[in-house]
Amino acid sequence: MGRPAYRRNRVVTELVARVLDEIRESGKKITVICRVVGEFIALNPEYLDLIDKVHPGAGAYPQHEPAGPQDNEQLTAFEHDMT
């Protein structure tokens, strides 16, 4: 992945990828609320087709800005909870 914040958080990226793969298998669409998921999809456009076009959500199609300290803290906290 392109951003250092994501490379350091392999658990998060693996979790998001697995969930999106399961959603694809189910045939459902998603509304993106979480900015982390939106950033993941922006960096992995093969998942763009999963976003509901009618209700994409506030986290869909994020601007490509460097991850700020708050984002890194959220990712680290999430990863810690997963261990």
Side-chain angles (χ1 to χ4, degrees):
M1 302 211 28
R3 293 202 175 154
Y6 289 107
R7 283 195 301 260
R8 289 192 307 264
N9 293 290
R10 290 180 183 240
V11 171
V12 173
T13 58
E14 183 68 22
L15 177 66
V16 172
R18 286 184 184 198
V19 169
L20 292 175
D21 288 340
E22 287 185 26
I23 291 168
R24 172 169 282 127
E25 289 177 16
S26 75
K28 296 180 180 180
K29 298 293 181 183
I30 62 171
T31 297
V32 182
I33 305 300
C34 175
R35 182 176 175 178
V36 173
V37 173
E39 286 287 334
F40 178 86
I41 293 173
L43 294 170
N44 297 276
E46 65 270 23
Y47 294 106
L48 281 170
D49 64 304
L50 296 178
I51 298 175
D52 186 314
K53 295 193 185 341
V54 176
H55 302 287
Y61 315 113
Q63 299 296 318
H64 293 283
E65 300 171 2
Q70 182 180 13
D71 294 334
N72 289 337
E73 290 171 11
Q74 290 173 343
L75 288 171
T76 302
F78 181 76
E79 184 178 44
H80 182 269
D81 289 344
M82 295 302 296
T83 59

